[in-house]
Amino acid sequence: MADRPAALFALGAQHLPDLYPARSMHRLQQLVRVDQTVVAERFDTGEIRTALASTEFLITGWGCPPITAAVLDAAPRLRAVLHTAGSVKALLSPACWERGLAITSAAAANAVPVAEYTLAAILFAGKNVFRLRDRYHASRHFTLAEVQSGVGNYGRTVGVIGASRIGRRVIELLRPFDVEVSLFDPYVDAATAAELGVRQVDLDTLLRTSDVVSVHAPANPRTDRLVGAEQLALMRDGATLINTARGSLVDTAALIEHLEAGRLYAVLDVTEPEPLSAGSALWELPNAFLTPHIAGSHGNELARMGDCVIDELERFLAGRPFAHAIVASDLDRVA
């Protein structure tokens, strides 16, 4: 169909088959003219600059170079950027907003596996799985029907820092469980907190009263070391800190002190620095559970992000607004 608008992929070419497997690619090509063999990993080649001249939709992802004013000058027909990943902060220049482009991302789709990871970590923390697993591994024995004190999720309080897409999804996933959820987010009003079904508290109260604290705030200068030495000192003995957001939100050195004292547990999918240095104390601490930034989309989860972008494109072409539209004022408020 010659009347289909032109689109161009701009991302690391190695990601394309996972983000847009055959089924998704076929669906996408019913909507736009897009050549899966032409992928912009840089914008300054002759082939890509020729393609940009007719491009109406830029389909981006990990590995996309920054979309600068010069790129926009080469793409006079560009109407929208659809990002097949999460944050667009490092991707878009101010010129994109000045041009009035429609912007969307698959951050909502990427939030799903992060929230699932977080839910698993919360439930495992409540069952004290990490300590009991190590004890069982060391002793190679346990006593049948022995009741483990201090174990269980019934009546636990989970503190969520940040009502981001991921934070809200975590809150949603926790609803079937017998836990109380507290929320700290300075951008959330009382009405929204009531809709979410959470108890709205300040950060200090959340830290003092929660058995598990899960971090879902965005990384920006205001949230750097949001959970610092003073905040960690407020947490209950035996409480667990989960971080799937960014390492910069937690004071790593202060956290190590509390872990070395045996006072807290931590589940860390992100750290600062990332990856950790080989000599970091976190490697050897039994109460620190580390994973290599795997909470977000991997493997077959990548196709969910591609499908999300295709859904957004269908909406746009039907004359409806993006379901996950991004405006410049959102960039420091979402994670």
Side-chain angles (χ1 to χ4, degrees):
M1 295 174 60
D3 58 342
R4 286 173 299 169
L8 174 67
F9 287 116
L11 66 162
Q14 73 273 22
H15 301 306
L16 192 60
D18 292 322
L19 292 168
Y20 295 94
R23 173 190 56 81
S24 300
M25 186 65 73
H26 176 75
R27 183 180 165 213
L28 179 62
Q29 290 174 334
Q30 303 310 299
L31 301 172
V32 293
R33 290 181 288 113
V34 62
D35 186 343
Q36 64 195 81
T37 68
V38 178
V39 180
E41 295 183 291
R42 47 190 293 181
F43 287 123
D44 59 354
T45 69
E47 180 184 39
I48 296 303
R49 292 188 71 82
T50 298
L52 280 171
S54 61
T55 294
E56 295 183 51
F57 297 100
L58 203 55
I59 301 173
T60 61
W62 297 315
C64 178
I67 303 173
T68 63
V71 173
L72 296 181
D73 288 343
R77 300 184 63 185
L78 187 63
R79 300 161 62 190
V81 176
L82 300 98
H83 190 48
T84 324
S87 175
V88 297
K89 290 180 187 179
L91 178 68
L92 304 181
S93 68
C96 295
W97 308 109
E98 294 164 4
R99 170 91 166 255
L101 296 176
I103 310 292
T104 187
S105 90
N110 193 47
V112 174
V114 182
E116 292 171 347
Y117 173 108
T118 303
L119 175 65
I122 289 169
L123 297 177
F124 265 37
K127 291 291 284 186
N128 216 339
V129 164
F130 309 113
R131 178 178 65 84
L132 294 175
R133 182 265 183 194
D134 288 343
R135 191 176 79 176
Y136 185 31
H137 189 269
S139 67
R140 309 296 169 95
H141 174 78
F142 72 96
T143 303
L144 285 172
E146 177 187 2
V147 174
Q148 303 291 339
S149 62
V151 170
N153 286 294
Y154 183 70
R156 294 279 192 186
T157 297
V158 177
V160 174
I161 298 177
S164 60
R165 295 181 186 90
I166 298 168
R168 291 179 188 230
R169 179 67 172 169
V170 169
I171 291 167
E172 179 183 346
L173 292 178
L174 285 170
R175 285 179 187 146
F177 300 94
D178 294 316
V179 298
E180 299 292 329
V181 181
S182 297
L183 171 69
F184 166 71
D185 189 318
Y187 295 104
V188 169
D189 58 24
T192 302
E195 290 176 7
L196 292 171
V198 299
R199 183 171 69 108
Q200 190 175 25
V201 297
D202 59 49
L203 180 58
D204 288 0
T205 299
L206 182 145
L207 293 164
R208 281 197 304 266
T209 59
S210 297
D211 300 292
V212 180
V213 173
S214 193
V215 182
H216 301 290
N220 59 52
R222 293 190 300 277
T223 60
D224 189 63
R225 308 296 192 279
L226 179 67
V227 183
E230 293 182 9
Q231 289 74 34
L232 290 165
L234 296 174
M235 291 181 66
R236 295 174 171 178
D237 289 353
T240 300
L241 177 73
I242 301 170
N243 190 6
T244 58
R246 288 292 184 267
S248 62
L249 275 71
V250 176
D251 185 329
T252 301
L255 177 61
I256 288 173
E257 289 184 12
H258 286 277
L259 295 173
E260 288 178 332
R263 208 179 69 75
L264 299 177
Y265 293 86
V267 178
L268 305 174
D269 188 53
V270 292
T271 56
E272 190 174 58
E274 192 174 47
L276 284 171
S277 65
S280 173
L282 286 171
W283 294 116
E284 306 301 328
L285 288 167
N287 46 348
F289 185 83
L290 306 177
T291 54
H293 206 136
I294 59 167
S297 298
H298 287 268
N300 61 25
E301 295 164 335
L302 297 178
R304 182 191 282 121
M305 294 197 293
D307 286 339
C308 178
V309 161
I310 297 170
D311 290 343
E312 289 287 76
L313 184 58
E314 283 183 336
R315 291 178 63 89
F316 192 90
L317 291 173
R320 293 178 291 159
F322 285 141
H324 306 294
I326 299 172
V327 297
S329 60
D330 287 338
L331 295 184
D332 285 336
R333 296 178 54 179
V334 298

